[in-house]
Amino acid sequence: MTTATKLSFVHRFEPAAEQKRPPLLLLHGTGGDENDLIDLGRLVAPGAALLSPRGKVLEGGMPRFFRRLAEGVFDEADVKRRASELADFVNEAREEYSLPAPIALGFSNGANIAAATLLLRPDALAGAVLLRAMVLLSEAPEADLNGKPVLILSGAMDPIVPTANAAHLARQLQHAGANVEHRTLPASHGLSQADVTLTRDFLAKQAR
Ligand code: MLT
């Protein structure tokens, strides 16, 4: 598998070996790229198609999925534009690779754009796993998530995402009708073995 430059995001795509599994949309953290979450995707959803774009916004040379003004201070207009751009890419990739709607698996900045995309363009995603996500949109848009499955995994010792902020995000998504499971792990902002196990179990339940 190599990095592809066709379509509107530089990305990697790995076709499914197991058709029963929904595809995963892998969304890396700040400073990552399309290669970062491929191994995690293979581990938590063996055989699933993997679609992994590279964020288009550069912060000091580090790819991200939207602009921020400072740590934890987001440019909401840019978040809206970028979420829409990402949803358009997902639709393009679905056509190009003949895919059903993917489940997003995002870490940190990638989890944040996944949550925003769910709220702003619900049709683009079948669900999401949000690892260390936080609230981006001060006012959540009216969205109908119609029971889409969402797993949020937060870290009790996360210095970037206060636990109350993650709980607020869970409420925003629940209010929009998502079927949200929110767990707070004894972890920091980095991922732990529990993240892998809980994500794998959650994704196994989504296989048809
Ligand atoms: C963000 O900017 O999305 C969050 O602060 C997470 C990060 O990338 O550090």
Side-chain angles (χ1 to χ4, degrees):
M1 183 174 53
T2 51
T3 292
T5 50
K6 62 180 179 182
L7 308 189
S8 57
F9 276 67
V10 172
H11 66 282
R12 283 178 68 177
F13 175 67
E14 184 163 295
E18 172 58 79
Q19 298 298 337
K20 287 186 181 144
R21 284 191 171 272
L24 286 189
L25 175 70
L26 301 172
L27 299 167
H28 63 78
T30 299
D33 67 19
E34 67 279 14
N35 301 304
D36 268 35
L37 297 186
I38 297 284
D39 286 344
L40 178 65
R42 288 182 185 143
L43 195 62
V44 296
L50 303 177
L51 178 65
S52 186
R54 184 193 305 170
K56 288 184 180 185
V57 172
L58 288 180
E59 182 185 278
M62 296 187 296
R64 288 174 50 83
F65 286 96
F66 56 86
R67 220 164 75 85
R68 67 179 162 187
L69 307 175
E71 178 68 57
V73 185
F74 304 115
D75 177 341
E76 290 200 29
D78 193 59
V79 169
K80 288 177 185 160
R81 184 163 77 85
R82 300 291 177 179
S84 184
E85 214 173 57
L86 183 65
D88 289 345
F89 163 73
V90 169
N91 291 340
E92 280 169 39
R94 286 185 60 188
E95 200 169 313
E96 176 74 20
Y97 301 120
S98 302
L99 299 172
I103 294 185
L105 169 59
F107 167 64
S108 189
N109 181 249
N112 293 342
I113 195 69
T117 304
L118 268 175
L119 288 165
L120 291 159
R121 294 280 299 270
D123 291 346
L125 299 174
V129 177
L130 308 175
L131 306 172
R132 312 297 186 268
M134 63 197 295
V135 172
L136 294 187
L137 301 167
S138 44
E139 288 204 24
E142 283 301 320
D144 183 4
L145 293 179
N146 195 23
K148 286 184 201 281
V150 176
L151 175 65
I152 303 176
L153 297 179
S154 305
M157 283 88 79
D158 189 334
I160 296 176
V161 186
T163 49
N165 186 299
H168 182 185
L169 175 65
R171 282 195 304 276
Q172 279 189 341
L173 292 165
Q174 254 154 5
H175 180 74
N179 183 5
V180 178
E181 181 182 344
H182 181 201
R183 307 271 292 257
T184 302
L185 307 177
S188 184
H189 198 66
L191 299 183
S192 65
Q193 182 57 43
D195 288 281
V196 175
T197 306
L198 291 166
T199 300
R200 196 182 53 210
D201 292 352
F202 173 83
L203 291 172
K205 282 189 255 158
Q206 315 310 324
R208 287 160 291 154

